[in-house]
Amino acid sequence: MSTPDLAPRRTFGGIVAIWVLAALAGVAIGLFVPAEWRAQWISVALGGCIIAAFAVQLWYGRSQAFIQRMALSSLGALVVLGVITVGFALAELAAL
């Protein structure tokens, strides 16, 4: 049996970092990728965010609530990328 951490590191920063990574990737994709290829690249960005979430959460070295932290990171990245995609889609419609 292991001893509990006296002052465990906060894990919310790692979750928010993945959300920021998703926002940066979504904006970069929206600006630099042609409209007909955006959906594919958003999927790639989401996959990259999930891999980055695994790396960040494993780096913390805490097994408590790992699934919840991964779910928050992944779902947050999905929502952020979805909102950015909707924004760029509405911008495309307005430009027509």
Side-chain angles (χ1 to χ4, degrees):
M1 186 159 100
S2 65
T3 60
D5 293 333
L6 296 178
R9 292 181 275 189
R10 293 182 182 245
T11 57
F12 194 67
I15 295 169
V16 173
I18 300 303
W19 297 351
V20 170
L21 176 67
L24 292 174
V27 169
I29 289 168
L31 293 176
F32 299 119
V33 174
E36 61 270 5
W37 286 96
R38 282 189 191 143
Q40 291 86 355
W41 279 103
I42 289 292
S43 300
V44 171
L46 180 61
C49 287
I50 291 173
I51 291 171
F54 270 114
V56 168
Q57 297 306 325
L58 288 174
W59 177 73
Y60 278 121
R62 295 186 60 205
S63 61
Q64 296 84 9
F66 175 77
I67 300 297
Q68 288 85 2
R69 292 191 314 265
M70 276 301 302
L72 279 173
S73 296
S74 303
L75 184 62
L78 177 69
V79 168
V80 167
L81 286 171
V83 168
I84 289 173
T85 302
V86 167
F88 280 113
L90 291 175
E92 281 286 322
L93 286 176
L96 294 178

